[in-house]
Amino acid sequence: MKNLLYFFTINLLLINSCISQNKHPLIEDVEIKLKSYGVEPIMFGGAKFECSKNINDSDIFVLPSRTEGIANTLMEAIGMEKSIVATKVGGTPELVIDGENGLLSSTDPIDLALKLKLLIENEELRKKFENKNKELKEKYYWD
């Protein structure tokens, strides 16, 4: 991970409804670990938080759910023509076809990290997924 940070500027935005004024106990652990790698995470959350602007400002959308129905934020990311890494749970595989418009991983954090690393390092693959998601947006009129 430290080698990756040497070549790329990575800003991490965590969006989660459980992140509020009273942080979840694991959030502090995540912050400490990220800071050890030189990443200063920006964290937002809560019921009034607007995800769309921040998804639009991102290069890669990551949905690391352990359980999921069909995530509205995932549909928004497709509509915004983002490269996607998501866990293969619930309805996610109905929206993300592995290798076509994003990457699917297991819920194993190492697998997810490797898929994310692949997208960070491979601009051509990111562009492929962005173009495919643009096609899907136009096909289904997502705006």
Side-chain angles (χ1 to χ4, degrees):
M1 183 66 123
K2 289 186 181 185
N3 293 339
L4 184 64
L5 294 174
Y6 179 79
F7 296 105
F8 299 96
T9 300
I10 297 175
N11 296 309
L12 180 64
L13 173 65
L14 298 176
I15 302 171
N16 187 325
S17 61
C18 77
I19 300 172
S20 63
Q21 293 174 343
N22 299 319
K23 287 185 180 177
H24 188 282
L26 292 177
I27 296 300
E28 188 172 317
D29 294 340
V30 170
E31 284 180 297
I32 291 168
K33 188 67 168 175
L34 289 170
K35 286 177 182 179
S36 76
Y37 287 117
V39 176
E40 290 288 332
I42 303 166
M43 298 192 196
F44 293 99
K48 295 182 179 179
F49 184 72
E50 183 182 325
C51 295
S52 299
K53 180 190 179 308
N54 293 292
I55 293 171
N56 199 40
D57 291 343
S58 301
D59 295 316
I60 300 171
F61 176 81
V62 182
L63 185 67
S65 300
R66 291 181 184 265
T67 62
E68 192 67 66
I70 293 184
N72 287 335
T73 55
L74 182 57
M75 290 186 281
E76 287 181 51
I78 292 169
M80 291 180 205
E81 305 166 21
K82 297 297 164 185
S83 295
I84 297 168
V85 178
T87 48
K88 189 177 179 179
V89 296
T92 300
E94 294 177 38
L95 296 172
V96 178
I97 308 303
D98 192 37
E100 301 241 349
N101 70 320
L103 295 174
L104 291 173
S105 84
S106 69
T107 56
D108 173 52
I110 300 297
D111 186 35
L112 183 70
L114 290 172
K115 300 277 171 78
L116 180 56
K117 182 178 184 285
L118 175 64
L119 265 188
I120 290 170
E121 294 176 336
N122 191 330
E123 184 177 1
E124 186 176 317
L125 187 59
R126 286 195 313 270
K127 294 296 179 200
K128 172 187 170 185
F129 294 159
E130 291 164 7
N131 290 334
K132 183 61 177 181
N133 285 327
K134 181 178 182 178
E135 288 176 26
L136 289 170
K137 177 178 98 171
E138 291 169 356
K139 180 177 179 181
Y140 296 106
Y141 306 104
W142 286 348
D143 278 326

